[in-house]
Amino acid sequence: MPARSINVELLLDRQVRDPSGKRAGRIEEIRARRVGDEIIVESYHLGPDAMLERLAAPVMRMRFLRALGLHRHRHGRRASWEQMDLTDPEHPKIRCPVEELAKLVR
């Protein structure tokens, strides 16, 4: 499959579903690295933990969650670029069941 370009800002906050229609979370962060003149996407971070990961440093994140009483109910998942189907960027999907996605490290 040839490489193609997608504006990443159009993917942020898009709801992602698995093949059965189960929600995997919203795209909150996209991790990439530079290889020569190209930017290569490595993973997509989904769910509330991903949003907090983007917005706050880890220490501040835990203090914030404890203050809200949410530190026990956090969740977030990581989809590799191979697991993501962006054929329709307005409706991104993962190619596997949600349960097969890696959990974000806390």
Side-chain angles (χ1 to χ4, degrees), residues 32-51:
R33 62 184 164 87
R34 182 177 293 279
V35 176
D37 292 335
E38 296 183 337
I39 304 292
I40 308 297
V41 171
E42 293 181 331
S43 62
Y44 301 85
H45 293 199
L46 314 172
D49 252 14
M51 181 175 58

Side-chain angles (χ1 to χ4, degrees), residues 75-95:
H75 58 87
R77 300 188 185 277
R78 181 179 62 246
S80 67
W81 71 270
E82 297 101 339
Q83 292 172 311
M84 189 68 73
D85 177 359
L86 299 175
T87 306
D88 179 0
E90 291 187 24
H91 302 97
K93 297 180 266 188
I94 51 172
R95 294 184 168 107

